[in-house]
Amino acid sequence: MSRIQELPITAIQFYATAPYPCSYLPEQIARSQVATPSHAIGEDVYGNLVNAGFRRSGLFTYRPYCDHCKACIATRIPVQYFEPNRSQRRSWKKHSGLQVQVLSLAYQEEHYRLYQDYQTQRHRGSQMEDDNQEQYMQFLLQSRVNSRIVEFRDGPNDPHPGRLRMVSMIDVVEQGISSVYTFFDAKEANASYGTYSILWQIEQAQQLGLPYLYLGYYIAKSPKMSYKAKFQPIEGLVDDQWQRLIPSRTHD
């Protein structure tokens, strides 16, 4: 794996943010380590940072840097060895009729409306529920790396052909695909759109000959983040080493 000291020689520096309330574990105080300046983080450097456990939010590249907690574990799926479970196979079959289009980053009102509905349904009461157009664009549409929008719509045989069901934001790096954010039609109960998005990204990485899908942080005690362990095999970055992630062995 690429450690920070092994990154290409650039003007990149790292700073720790001030403490702030954790978004996933209510009783915890969090901090992040941020790579700066953002304009110096090109695709090569960014790929190494992703492999060192960093994520991207707009133009900011960061990773957890908490004082007394190690609950966040960066994850990646070695796509060559991925084996879907029964539930994931059902999801793949259920949504195989969705029409998929890969787009360059650009604002679309239809995407923003779906994002708003998703935040209202899934994250009511959070800061993201009130994201305005500018905040949405800063979060998902600003990038200096190889980023794409993946759009999923109902197919011609569905009751509502062309209806927007899901949008995924992804980054393509040398080692794989980094899944940035996905939002979908959350009003349809038990639709499993999020699962399908991950399966689609795994297949894309396989087709592109890329070894990994980077899936963000696994947090055992957070229902919003623990689902990632269902995609096996999955690796976690523990003590600066990528290793097989076995949920029962994770700890805070």
Side-chain angles (χ1 to χ4, degrees), residues 41-47 50 56 58-59 61 102-105 140-150 168-180 201 208 210:
I41 301 175
E43 292 185 10
D44 291 344
V45 175
Y46 178 66
V50 168
R56 185 179 64 80
L59 297 178
T61 305
V102 180
L103 309 169
S104 298
L105 295 190
L140 294 177
L141 300 181
Q142 292 190 13
S143 172
R144 291 190 173 94
V145 297
N146 185 8
S147 303
R148 294 289 183 268
I149 295 172
V150 186
S168 292
M169 305 292 183
I170 63 173
D171 294 334
V172 181
V173 297
E174 183 179 359
Q175 304 94 327
I177 292 174
S178 178
S179 184
V180 177
Q201 292 175 51
L208 293 171
L210 300 172

Side-chain angles (χ1 to χ4, degrees), residues 186-239:
K187 296 177 183 177
E188 186 176 339
N190 302 316
S192 70
Y193 286 124
T195 296
Y196 183 76
S197 172
I198 293 173
L199 296 174
W200 184 90
Q201 292 175 51
I202 290 172
E203 185 188 54
Q204 283 298 295
Q206 291 170 339
Q207 291 182 0
L208 293 171
L210 300 172
Y212 300 109
L213 171 64
Y214 293 87
L215 206 53
Y217 300 115
Y218 167 83
I219 305 175
K221 294 183 179 180
S222 170
K224 294 180 181 179
M225 305 295 276
S226 61
Y227 72 90
K228 295 165 186 179
K230 296 178 181 178
F231 295 85
Q232 290 291 332
I234 192 167
E235 298 176 353
L237 188 61
V238 180
D239 296 328

Side-chain angles (χ1 to χ4, degrees), residues 1-5 7 12-20 30-36 41 46 48-50 52-57 59-67 69 72 217 237 240:
M1 95 153 234
S2 296
R3 301 175 187 271
I4 289 179
Q5 59 265 32
L7 296 175
I12 301 301
Q13 296 182 338
F14 301 90
Y15 72 89
T17 67
Y20 56 88
R31 289 205 302 167
S32 295
Q33 185 181 47
V34 180
T36 187
I41 301 175
Y46 178 66
N48 280 298
L49 288 171
V50 168
F54 283 75
R55 300 281 291 161
R56 185 179 64 80
S57 176
L59 297 178
F60 294 94
T61 305
Y62 70 94
R63 68 177 179 179
Y65 195 66
C66 303
D67 296 320
C69 178
C72 293
Y217 300 115
L237 188 61
D240 287 334

Side-chain angles (χ1 to χ4, degrees), residues 20-31:
Y20 56 88
C22 178
S23 301
Y24 301 105
L25 301 176
E27 298 179 358
Q28 295 289 344
I29 297 297
R31 289 205 302 167

Side-chain angles (χ1 to χ4, degrees), residues 77-82 206 210-211:
I77 297 171
V79 299
Q80 179 182 356
Y81 304 104
F82 172 70
Q206 291 170 339
L210 300 172

